[in-house]
Amino acid sequence: MKRMVVILVLGTLAWAAMQSAPSSSPTSPNEAPAEFDGQTNGIVDQATHEADQAKFDEVEDIPDGLGPIYNAQSCRECHQNPVSGGLSQITELRVGHRNSAGKFVNSSVPIADGTAVITGRTLINDRAICPNASFPNIQLQERVPDREKIRTLRTSLNLLGDGFIEAVPDETFKNLAADQCRKSHGKICGKAISVPVLEASGTYRIGRFGWKDQHASLLSFAGDAYLNEMGITNRLMPTEVTTLCDTVPDPENTPEADGLADIDHFARFMRATKAPPRDAQLADTANAKKGSVLFNKIGCAVCHVRTLETAPAGTPINGGTFTVPDALGGKQFHPFSDFLLHDVGTGDGIVIPVEEHFGRAYREMQSTFNITANRMRTPPLWGARTRSRLMHDGQSLTFEDAILRHRGEAEGARKKFGHLSEAEKKQLITFLKSL
Ligand code: HEC
Ligand code: HEC
């Protein structure tokens, strides 16, 4: 009888603790949900999330505004593995050159037998809508001109869980940069750069998306991608890259009955995704657990930061155009990245092309981005097991190859990796395969 009472009391206490514990306490914030299940993280209901995903998955054609030059017909084409919003093997081409003074210059790409020249970009679009039945004689395909000697590939990135990254305060990234620089005595000093928030003209935020941290806002990225990947103009990027062969008036993407344009659906879809989950089975093995300890011990986690926290719900971000919702606010997540730009010896020489990503209005800012030439963003390693080709150019095919390419700021970590025993190297790589 006495025992029953004790159990009851303890049970009640445990239940009370469970009710009051996580959500309100700032020191133990909620874990962000992580699952490849296509379900909303809670910022919208499931039906809305699926409708947004349908927009993201939709295949566009010429009457919808596709092109005139473009890379693919839908967002999903490049962001799909293992579910919509993930990544893919698709790479893109970026080129440019240095002038006689050593300054990086965006590419100039003649098209249509030299009757037009595309400037202000580093991206080379891999596809064009003509020659076609209506314009049989316009040769619109972009090709790399001989003089654009700086040439690189860039792999597609994962978008799942990006809403959590967007909701991290600027100060977090600035503090990470200052801390790692101080603790490493100046050897590892990631850079946080300010980039324009296109939907809040004149405002800036610390960049965190793309291989060069070229955007801070998912809506800005959606506007940029809709134009530069699919050739579809929108309110944030209203100017066609070329009007040759174009038969659809600008802007091609007008709001629908619900007041939302396609880019708003894309942004809401990305914000509502759950984070990439670990391979729970592999993560639970002794090898992966030992590898996880080594990952910290040899300095990988200095840049591939395990855990970040979002701003509290209700915080205005992106120049006040978006308020962190309950489902994203005060959440802890595990991206394995500091989202800072580092020179790890793999720099591709390409500076952020301002006009391409932000529009003509920002052209005067071009020179402020010179530091991005040979720095790359630390890629988040969450979901790395779904990636068949690694590093910005996709040229490293195994985790060991990727690690051995780390130089510059990551020289120390690479050396320590080299000093591990064969068994320890295997443990570290098992850990990476569990991410
Ligand atoms: C042809 C392939 C392709 C298509 C189509 C495409 N993307 Fe991407 N996406 C990429 C590549 C490549 C990157 C990395 C770009 C870089 O930084 O150079 C990327 C990066 C991103 C990022 C940054 C992710 C992060 O966490 O850093 C976002 C957001 C994004 N794309 C959204 C979209 C949306 C929305 C669409 C549809 C409008 C779209 N993309 C269409 C290839 C594509
Ligand atoms: C100084 C910061 C820094 C340190 C330390 C560091 N990395 Fe990296 N890591 C980067 C950057 C930056 C890249 C992207 C380089 C590129 O794409 O050219 C990268 C890329 C990677 C990739 C490829 C990811 C992908 O999605 O393509 C893996 C895997 C990786 N690092 C693992 C490690 C491991 C393991 C260690 C420890 C031995 C380590 N890194 C130490 C900054 C760092």
Side-chain angles (χ1 to χ4, degrees):
M1 182 69 194
K2 215 172 183 178
R3 206 177 191 173
M4 275 281 287
V5 172
V6 172
I7 289 169
L8 253 174
V9 168
L10 281 178
T12 312
L13 280 176
W15 180 83
M18 263 167 61
Q19 299 308 301
S20 63
S23 58
S24 54
S25 157
T27 50
S28 60
N30 281 340
E31 274 294 310
E35 212 78 58
F36 286 134
D37 62 1
Q39 301 285 305
T40 170
N41 62 27
I43 76 168
V44 291
D45 59 40
Q46 186 59 19
T48 306
H49 188 50
E50 282 169 20
D52 288 342
Q53 185 190 318
K55 297 273 185 191
F56 183 88
D57 291 353
E58 196 175 311
V59 174
E60 308 289 355
D61 220 323
I62 296 173
D64 309 306
L66 181 72
I69 54 175
Y70 67 106
N71 281 333
Q73 287 181 279
S74 80
C75 305
R76 182 183 61 178
E77 212 167 316
C78 302
H79 297 289
Q80 191 274 332
N81 188 37
V83 295
S84 228
L87 46 82
S88 78
Q89 82 284 13
I90 294 176
T91 53
E92 292 176 0
L93 203 44
R94 286 193 180 274
V95 304
H97 66 274
R98 288 191 177 272
N99 66 15
S100 50
K103 192 173 155 274
F104 178 80
V105 184
N106 291 333
S107 59
S108 296
V109 185
I111 49 166
D113 302 309
T115 55
V117 180
I118 294 178
T119 59
R121 310 208 303 168
T122 64
L123 187 65
I124 300 289
N125 280 131
D126 283 304
R127 306 186 201 180
I129 60 170
C130 63
N132 61 19
S134 314
F135 303 95
N137 295 318
I138 300 187
Q139 311 303 323
L140 210 53
Q141 181 57 52
E142 282 195 293
R143 307 192 58 81
V144 178
D146 289 333
R147 78 160 184 175
E148 307 301 346
K149 295 285 188 230
I150 303 178
R151 301 163 186 176
T152 186
L153 294 173
R154 297 265 183 89
T155 61
S156 307
L157 291 165
N158 163 69
L159 316 175
L160 300 170
D162 271 4
F164 299 99
I165 303 168
E166 187 181 36
V168 172
D170 278 3
E171 288 65 41
T172 302
F173 299 117
K174 292 182 191 162
N175 292 341
L176 271 175
D179 276 3
Q180 63 183 207
C181 195
R182 186 169 37 79
K183 286 187 187 142
S184 69
H185 306 287
K187 288 204 185 80
I188 299 177
C189 302
K191 296 269 182 280
I193 56 166
S194 279
V195 296
V197 177
L198 303 184
E199 62 272 31
S201 181
T203 68
Y204 297 83
R205 217 174 159 231
I206 299 298
R208 59 204 66 192
F209 297 119
W211 280 105
K212 296 269 177 179
D213 278 337
Q214 61 265 35
H215 280 293
S217 145
L218 289 172
L219 183 58
S220 295
F221 212 121
D224 175 343
Y226 215 19
L227 176 66
N228 289 305
E229 305 293 1
M230 297 168 68
I232 301 185
T233 54
N234 55 81
R235 71 175 186 279
L236 299 180
M237 297 294 267
T239 313
E240 288 284 12
V241 176
T242 173
T243 50
L244 287 170
C245 304
D246 197 23
T247 50
V248 184
D250 284 314
E252 292 148 342
N253 173 33
T254 41
E256 287 160 29
D258 60 4
L260 299 182
D262 288 352
I263 56 172
D264 300 305
H265 290 286
F266 302 153
R268 192 168 64 184
F269 167 68
M270 296 189 277
R271 285 170 178 155
T273 54
K274 295 185 184 175
R278 296 282 301 271
D279 173 342
Q281 231 172 341
L282 192 58
D284 204 35
T285 62
N287 273 344
K289 285 179 183 165
K290 284 181 190 148
S292 175
V293 174
L294 290 169
F295 187 80
N296 276 25
K297 198 173 151 196
I298 67 173
C300 309
V302 174
C303 301
H304 296 282
V305 172
R306 285 173 178 263
T307 303
L308 293 179
E309 200 179 313
T310 63
T315 308
I317 60 169
N318 295 343
T321 55
F322 185 64
T323 301
V324 176
D326 285 341
L328 299 179
K331 291 280 191 286
Q332 182 174 294
F333 64 104
H334 310 286
F336 295 90
S337 176
D338 57 6
F339 298 95
L340 301 172
L341 295 175
H342 292 277
D343 182 350
V344 296
T346 57
D348 56 15
I350 305 267
V351 171
I352 289 181
V354 167
E355 189 175 338
E356 176 190 325
H357 292 306
F358 315 131
R360 291 191 136 225
Y362 292 92
R363 267 200 301 188
E364 304 306 312
M365 290 184 69
Q366 185 62 63
S367 62
T368 59
F369 290 103
N370 286 342
I371 65 146
T372 62
N374 283 312
R375 290 185 168 88
M376 306 303 299
R377 176 188 74 165
T378 308
L381 298 180
W382 62 4
R385 72 182 185 283
T386 67
R387 228 178 160 68
S388 55
R389 307 168 192 202
L390 299 164
M391 308 294 266
H392 70 274
D393 51 12
Q395 300 295 298
S396 303
L397 302 181
T398 66
F399 283 119
E400 183 152 0
D401 283 353
I403 295 169
L404 295 177
R405 268 176 81 188
H406 285 63
R407 307 274 156 144
E409 292 181 59
E411 183 77 38
R414 183 184 57 88
K415 278 197 180 136
K416 284 183 189 148
F417 175 77
H419 292 142
L420 296 179
S421 69
E422 285 309 308
E424 287 171 322
K425 283 182 187 166
K426 270 210 185 98
Q427 291 164 349
L428 183 75
I429 284 163
T430 305
F431 167 68
L432 293 175
K433 286 181 179 164
S434 77
L435 295 177

